[in-house]
Amino acid sequence: TYAYRLKLGSDMHLSLGVSGLLYQLNLNKSALDMKNDDDVVLMRTTNDKMIVPDASFGAYLYQDNFFVGLSATQLLGRKVDLMSDVLQVNQERHYYLTGGYNFEISDDFSLEPSIFTRFVESMMYQVDFNVKAGIKKIAFVGVSYRSNLNDLSASSGDAVVGMIGLNMDNLMFGYSYDYTLSDI
């Protein structure tokens, strides 16, 4: 993994990152408890070990009161096929876009609306709408609504999230709880 930060003017920064990955996959057939020992899936297995390369990239532009970021994972989109043509999984690219603005209401109170979107090449996407209130730059509370838009034609809510946290020097501690709205 490599990251680099550029200073663009007096208080604006651009951070860039790239990462190379290796996934090691292993199928231990002897540890499987099969109901049918002559299962066609296991009989057609040609490869029980595999190493799959991958890459990710991200960019993040920020200033004191705003941020915007774009990233992508599983850039190589490789096929994972431990079991030949019986079970194959394609690593689909995931794209992420986020942005937000911090409104300083007073010296003691700030409000930060933000949005986070995720798009998967299989036509699945998700949008989170967030609002975080900062108190004296020490603590924050927030709420988020996560949509679940899986077929680009219909939408349904997936979760409502509550958040709390503390800022201590250069560290932030936070806790969030998702209340799921879907049947999952």
Side-chain angles (χ1 to χ4, degrees):
T1 299
Y2 179 77
Y4 188 76
R5 185 173 79 163
L6 299 165
K7 191 170 185 175
L8 307 174
S10 62
D11 63 347
M12 187 178 296
H13 299 276
L14 175 64
S15 294
L16 302 169
V18 64
S19 181
L21 304 112
L22 288 175
Y23 295 103
Q24 181 180 356
L25 306 164
N26 182 20
L27 176 64
N28 185 355
K29 293 184 248 181
S30 65
L32 294 176
D33 183 19
M34 300 295 294
K35 296 211 186 280
N36 184 356
D37 289 333
D38 59 346
D39 191 308
V40 70
V41 171
L42 287 179
M43 294 181 78
R44 292 177 66 184
T45 301
T46 58
N47 189 9
D48 58 359
K49 292 182 182 179
M50 183 177 209
I51 293 178
V52 179
D54 205 352
S56 300
F57 171 79
Y60 188 68
L61 180 68
Y62 64 98
Q63 202 171 9
D64 285 342
N65 57 349
F66 88 95
F67 62 92
V68 62
L70 173 67
S71 63
T73 60
Q74 298 182 346
L75 289 174
L76 299 183
R78 295 285 310 259
K79 184 190 308 182
V80 178
D81 54 356
L82 280 174
M83 298 182 136
S84 186
D85 61 339
V86 178
L87 291 176
Q88 294 181 358
V89 176
N90 289 326
Q91 292 181 322
E92 296 181 353
R93 288 179 194 91
H94 289 61
Y95 303 98
Y96 303 91
L97 177 65
T98 188
Y101 192 89
N102 188 17
F103 295 95
E104 294 287 335
I105 307 300
S106 70
D107 289 341
D108 295 335
F109 187 74
S110 66
L111 199 59
E112 183 180 283
S114 64
I115 190 168
F116 175 79
T117 61
R118 178 180 73 141
F119 176 74
V120 182
E121 285 186 345
S122 64
M123 301 305 289
M124 293 175 49
Y125 71 101
Q126 186 176 59
V127 180
D128 291 10
F129 301 96
N130 316 293
V131 176
K132 184 170 76 170
I135 303 150
K136 295 188 178 191
K137 298 185 181 185
I138 296 173
F140 67 86
V141 295
V143 66
S144 179
Y145 173 78
R146 180 176 305 121
S147 69
N148 188 9
L149 309 167
N150 287 329
D151 64 5
L152 296 180
S153 63
S155 67
S156 63
D158 186 47
V160 174
V161 181
M163 302 173 275
I164 58 171
L166 288 172
N167 293 315
M168 303 180 80
D169 296 322
N170 290 328
L171 294 176
M172 178 177 67
F173 298 95
Y175 177 80
S176 69
Y177 182 80
D178 289 27
Y179 179 77
T180 306
L181 302 173
S182 67
D183 292 336
I184 295 177

